[in-house]
């Protein structure tokens, strides 16, 4: 019996390592290397196998095919046979051409089924066993359960399902998005993970085949619904997790499907790496980087995986440098996305650590993102409706690591658990200012007065027309509150909720803010302080355009009185409108020139006084709406004040009360740099407050 060694392998080694024009485009991609002498067979005419030699250890041999229980191995230019169980099937770089070539389907199938890696999955949407099984059973029975409205999709036959025309979108633009990113495949994968019932994988296989048939990756630009920037990334997570379960299951006996999955994953990698597809300065780009990393780490034998991993790491670092401030604020204008992005990146970090590799060093900062949420939690355990944030009460499931952050636990549980925070005023980068009366030291936490202001334009992600808008809460209710996001939809309410008229700020006529790359950084919070029992914050915005500069200062005297001072500079004489949208249930009970009183069913009152400054104007009550939850649209009131001039000023005094106190005297004087406000309350208290104009509009470069 012969032993095939280095001399016989010379031509094979060259094939593995060289490429020549006019010859094979690339080397044959599959090979084996044995650790002990292994018998080689020849196939006889009577279909029996005859031993003819041995492979020797530590030598590479090209594998060229599959035949039943044998691999076809090339030795000294001759095709021989070796039992599958006796040799490892290995791969060098798998090019797009190899992955797409039908001659390699069976080898790809065998290779991907047997390759062993640390494959702790990254789950975009983690489900409990009961959730996964219930939703997966529903899918198999023809009713896909989707998170977005209308909540379900009827699929009578997955094999003939049309992923465009058969989807009942309804009002929500998120519904098509969630269907196309394969929320259902995640349900099926997790149901199999918990139960090992292969019926879930069988349906998942049909699901993948149905979609891939309709949406080839090499024509992705033709299919915007299927190849959404974020949706493509999320689908990648779900496909990889499905494949990691499927390839080890008894169902994995279809070589064509194995190759199809690998081609789809390789195609998704090309798309995610494409600079024209990539979303810079946006959480969608972050997800694209995460998904590209997932492909590169799970399939390192793909030719582009090393490049993709390096590209994803570099891009992710750039993304986090842009979107995560030095004090760990997620700069996408929405407290709700501070929660969402943290949870996604936290799980991504865990996946990286579990699989033992390294990527962007900026991911270390993710661990501190929940510290920001402490200050953004309102006393009623909600987040302010800034940007695309919903107003449902937050629970201990808000983030999976909540108990690692005792101050946040305190805020989320209303003081029932955790450690009481001590900071009452906080500037969160240039995006938020927070003024808080107390943390429940001497009164119920839910009764504390909270005044917040938002500003900053860093990118278009979740940015509303809300620069210098405020949120005012106290005594167990919202007094002045944003409109909310309404939901991702083409309905007119969504457009209304985003527009400048829906926010507690100042706008010029009917003109919207200029949200363009040229105005990035042209607004922000500039200062927050507490001095002698007075809390103050200031910010500026140049987003109105046309050279108009808007500065807002806010103050809270820790006794229910709040001041808002707006200074607008303009070269042209134009109308300016200031709006304050009130909490649901506050009804007008008194109205006179420049002054209004609102009361709710529990007797809590909001007194609003437009102090006489600059030009005279009008004050009126108009209807408004608020959406604390998606697709909710509750009526409420707004107070609208209008002045016309070459710039103008508004100095607005609010008094909140649960006992009937009110302002009995007020006036305002103007200096070159400030407004000086005097007021007296019906309980005999008086105060003088200086409100800076802050006209320079410069951000502190040290922030």
């Amino acid at each position: 019996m012969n032993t095939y060694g280095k001399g016989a392998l010379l031509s094979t080694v060259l094939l593995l390592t060289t490429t020549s024009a006019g010859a094979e485009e690339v080397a044959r991609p599959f090979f084996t290397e044995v650790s002990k002498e292994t018998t080689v067979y020849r196939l006889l005419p009577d279909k029996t196998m005859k031993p003819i030699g041995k492979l020797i250890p530590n030598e590479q041999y090209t594998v060229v095919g599959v035949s039943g229980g044998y691999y076809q191995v090339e030795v000294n230019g001759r095709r021989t046979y070796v039992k599958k169980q006796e040799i490892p099937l290995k791969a060098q770089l798998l090019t797009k051409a190899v992955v797409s070539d039908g001659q390699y389907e069976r080898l790809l199938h065998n290779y991907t089924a047997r390759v062993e890696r640390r494959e702790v999955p990254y789950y975009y949407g983690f489900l409990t066993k009961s959730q996964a099984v219930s939703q997966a059973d529903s899918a198999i029975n023809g009713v896909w359960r989707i998170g977005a409205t209308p909540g379900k999709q009827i699929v009578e036959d997955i094999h003939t399902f049309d992923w465009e025309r058969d989807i009942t979108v309804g009002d929500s633009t998120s519904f098509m998005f969630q269907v196309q990113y394969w929320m259902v495949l995640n349900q099926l994968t997790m149901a199999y993970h918990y139960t090992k019932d292969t019926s879930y994988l069988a349906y998942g296989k049909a699901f993948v085949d149905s979609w891939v048939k309709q949406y080839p990756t090499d024509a992705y630009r033709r299919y915007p619904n299927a190849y959404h920037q974020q949706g493509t990334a999320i689908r990648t997570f779900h496909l990889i997790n499905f494949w990691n379960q499927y390839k080890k299951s008894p169902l994995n006996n279809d070589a064509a499907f194995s190759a199809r999955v690998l081609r789809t994953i390789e195609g998704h990698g090309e798309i995610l790496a494409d600079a024209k597809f990539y979303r810079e300065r946006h959480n969608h780009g972050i997800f694209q980087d995460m998904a590209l990393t997932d492909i590169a780490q799970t399939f390192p034998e793909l030719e582009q995986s090393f490049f993709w991993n390096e590209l994803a790491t570099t891009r992710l670092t750039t993304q986090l440098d842009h979107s995560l401030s030095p004090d760990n604020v997620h700069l996408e204008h929405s407290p709700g996305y501070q929660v969402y992005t943290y949870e996604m990146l936290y799980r991504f970090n865990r996946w990286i650590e579990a699989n033992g590799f390294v990527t962007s060093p900026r991911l270390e900062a993710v661990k501190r993102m929940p510290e920001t949420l402490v200050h953004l939690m309102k006393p009623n355990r909600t987040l302010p409706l800034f940007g695309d944030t919903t107003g449902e009460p937050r629970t201990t499931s808000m983030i999976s690591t909540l108990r690692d952050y005792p101050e946040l636990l305190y805020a989320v549980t209303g003081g029932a658990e955790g450690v009481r925070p001590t900071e009452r005023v906080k500037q969160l980068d240039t995006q938020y200012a927070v003024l808080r009366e107390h943390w429940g030291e001497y009164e119920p936490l839910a009764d504390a007065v909270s005044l917040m202001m938002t500003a900053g334009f860093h990118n278009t992600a979740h940015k509303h027309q809300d620069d210098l808008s405020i949120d005012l809460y106290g005594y167990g209710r919202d007094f002045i509150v944003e409109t909310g996001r309404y939901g991702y939809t083409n309905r007119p309410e969504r457009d209304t909720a985003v527009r400048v008229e829906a926010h507690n700020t100042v706008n010029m006529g009917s003109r919207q803010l200029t949200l363009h790359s040229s105005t990035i950084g042209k607004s922000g919070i500039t200062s927050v302080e507490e001095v002698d029992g007075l809390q103050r914050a200031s910010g500026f915005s140049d987003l109105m355009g046309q050279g108009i500069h808007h500065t807002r200062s806010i103050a809270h005297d820790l006794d229910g009185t709040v001041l808002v001072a707006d200074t607008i500079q303009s070269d042209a004489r134009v109308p300016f409108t200031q709006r304050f949208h009130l909490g649901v249930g506050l009804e007008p009970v008194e109205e006179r020139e420049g002054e209004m009183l609102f009361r709710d069913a529990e007797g809590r009152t909001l007194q609003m006084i437009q102090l006489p400054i600059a030009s005279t104007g009008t004050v009126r009550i108009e209807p408004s709406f608020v959406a604390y939850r998606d697709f909710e649209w509750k009526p409420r009131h707004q107070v609208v004040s209008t002045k016309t001039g070459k710039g103008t000023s508004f100095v607005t005094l609010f008094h909140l009360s649960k006992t009937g106190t009110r302002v009995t005297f007020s006036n305002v004087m103007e200096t070159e740099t400030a407004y000086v406000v005097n007021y007296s309350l019906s309980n005999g208290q008086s105060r003088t407050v200086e409100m800076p104009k802050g006209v320079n509009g410069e951000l502190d470069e040290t922030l």
Side-chain angles (χ1 to χ4, degrees), residues 565-579:
D566 290 299
T567 303
I568 302 100
Q569 297 174 323
S570 172
D571 294 332
R573 182 178 176 81
V574 291
F576 294 96
T577 302
Q578 180 202 62
R579 299 173 187 271

Side-chain angles (χ1 to χ4, degrees), residues 282-476:
H282 201 287
N283 72 75
H284 292 180
I286 292 176
F287 280 101
Q288 289 173 288
D289 295 332
M290 292 163 60
L292 198 56
T293 303
D294 199 357
I295 293 173
Q297 292 294 335
T298 309
F299 299 93
E301 56 280 299
L302 290 175
E303 182 184 34
Q304 295 297 315
S305 282
F306 178 81
F307 166 74
W308 288 343
N309 190 74
E310 294 295 302
L311 176 65
T313 298
T314 300
R315 294 193 315 194
L316 182 57
T317 298
T318 301
Q319 286 275 10
L320 294 177
D321 283 343
H322 168 77
S323 65
L324 197 58
S325 74
D327 56 348
N328 310 300
V329 180
H330 182 238
L331 300 176
E332 288 196 355
H333 319 104
S334 302
Y337 275 80
Q338 180 86 11
V339 177
Y340 172 72
T341 305
Y342 165 75
E343 188 65 21
M344 296 304 104
L345 289 174
Y346 163 72
R347 283 194 235 156
F348 188 62
N349 263 336
R350 286 191 63 193
W351 174 71
I352 290 169
E353 293 167 1
N355 288 283
F357 63 89
V358 177
T359 181
S360 172
R362 286 291 280 122
L363 285 168
E364 183 66 23
V366 171
K367 298 175 183 177
R368 302 199 63 185
M369 288 178 69
E371 296 172 6
T372 297
L373 291 168
V374 174
H375 308 285
L376 291 171
M377 292 298 302
K378 293 169 62 171
N380 64 346
R381 297 181 292 165
T382 68
L383 291 168
L385 299 182
F386 295 145
D388 280 338
T389 302
T390 55
E392 71 278 1
R394 304 290 169 158
T395 69
T396 53
S397 63
M398 180 174 72
I399 60 172
S400 54
T401 58
L402 183 66
R403 296 190 178 276
D404 294 334
Y405 301 90
E407 290 190 347
L408 181 57
L409 179 62
Y410 181 94
V412 171
T413 62
E417 299 181 66
V419 175
R420 179 185 289 119
T422 57
E423 290 184 284
R424 298 193 302 181
V425 301
K426 189 72 173 177
Q427 178 173 352
L428 299 172
D429 198 67
T430 60
Q431 194 159 262
Y432 306 110
V434 181
L435 310 179
R436 187 185 304 269
E437 182 185 13
H438 61 78
W439 280 105
E441 298 93 330
Y442 45 85
E443 290 184 18
L445 178 60
D447 282 351
V449 174
S450 165
L451 176 61
M452 301 186 189
M453 180 164 66
T454 186
F457 175 44
H458 311 282
N459 49 60
T460 57
H462 307 290
K463 175 67 177 175
H464 287 211
Q465 303 265 336
D466 60 355
D467 254 35
L468 302 180
S469 192
I470 65 168
D471 180 287
L472 177 59
Y473 170 96
Y475 313 137

